[in-house]
Amino acid sequence: VRALAEAGLRPGADLARATAERASAEAQLVQAELTRKTARIAVAQLTGDAATSVSPFAGKLMGDAPEPVRPALSVLLSHPATLEQQAALDEVEFRRKELAKAFAPKFLLQSSLYARGAGVNADGSSMGGVNGLGPNIYNWGLGFSVLFPFLDQPQIRAQREAEAHHAAAEMARLRRLKQDLSAQEERAVAQLEAAQRLAELAPIQAGAARSAVAQSE
């Protein structure tokens, strides 16, 4: 276009428009490179590898676009963030079950074993010799007790109410997390569908560009 405009065969407006289009294309290239680097960093952050070790592989862009695959609900439920939040909710539920058992009475069994070295018999006579250095009189005891936590009931009731609020908060976070993951999945599917439609238009654009180059030559 520049050669034709300088030769007077094309108007100067075409040269200005072509220069603007080239600048716009270069800006899109810079934005695409930024998107590529950002995507590599995001993948490296998820995998724990270095960003330089992430390299894309060539896919089939000019062929028939496959139908978008929508992940099943089980995939979202197995997401690491969902599993982490579910574990936090399970922890609160376990504490609530433990507090629910705190009202129940506790049964305790005590036992004791006793031995001494007396060196004398039951009638008071001495056993003589080294008798008495070791235990020769034995006794044992067995006890049973029941503990009712009457005085701890206000504290336990307050703890149960606190854990109930914690469980509600964790459940709300879990629902919000599932909504966020579902929204991310919907955005990813929309981007995939748009990319597939653009891939279908790419051969047409490429053909038009080749025709324009041929006509220019």
Side-chain angles (χ1 to χ4, degrees), residues 34-57:
L34 175 61
T35 303
R36 180 188 62 180
K37 294 179 181 179
T38 304
R40 283 188 175 184
I41 294 173
V43 173
Q45 184 179 7
L46 292 175
T47 59
D49 299 327
T52 56
S53 64
V54 179
S55 59
F57 60 90

Side-chain angles (χ1 to χ4, degrees), residues 75-209:
V75 177
L76 295 179
L77 294 179
S78 61
H79 192 278
T82 305
L83 296 178
E84 179 182 4
Q85 185 58 36
Q86 184 63 48
L89 180 60
D90 294 340
E91 180 182 359
V92 175
E93 291 296 334
F94 289 144
R95 288 201 300 263
R96 291 183 62 187
K97 292 180 180 179
E98 187 67 21
L99 289 174
K101 300 177 182 178
F103 285 107
K106 297 180 180 179
F107 302 92
L108 304 177
L109 179 65
Q110 298 90 15
S111 63
S112 176
L113 182 62
Y114 172 78
R116 67 184 177 88
V120 295
N121 296 317
D123 56 2
S125 61
S126 175
M127 300 177 65
V130 296
N131 292 308
L133 296 180
N136 63 325
I137 302 299
Y138 301 94
N139 199 355
W140 59 273
L142 184 64
F144 180 79
S145 60
V146 182
L147 176 63
F148 293 95
F150 291 112
L151 299 180
D152 295 338
Q153 289 186 6
Q155 178 183 358
I156 296 174
R157 187 179 297 107
Q159 291 177 353
R160 292 184 62 182
E161 292 178 358
E163 293 300 335
H165 292 300
H166 290 164
E170 296 297 340
M171 179 61 71
R173 292 191 186 96
L174 181 60
R175 288 196 299 265
R176 176 63 182 273
L177 181 59
K178 291 181 180 179
Q179 292 176 355
D180 293 341
L181 292 177
S182 178
Q184 293 178 13
E185 184 257 343
E186 292 294 335
R187 285 195 296 267
V189 170
Q191 293 175 359
L192 177 60
E193 292 175 350
Q196 291 175 348
R197 295 179 62 184
L198 291 176
E200 294 174 356
L201 296 176
I204 301 176
Q205 294 177 344

Side-chain angles (χ1 to χ4, degrees), residues 11-29:
D14 290 349
L15 177 60
R17 183 170 60 253
T19 303
E21 290 177 356
R22 177 170 180 172
S24 176
E26 291 177 351
Q28 294 178 4
L29 176 60

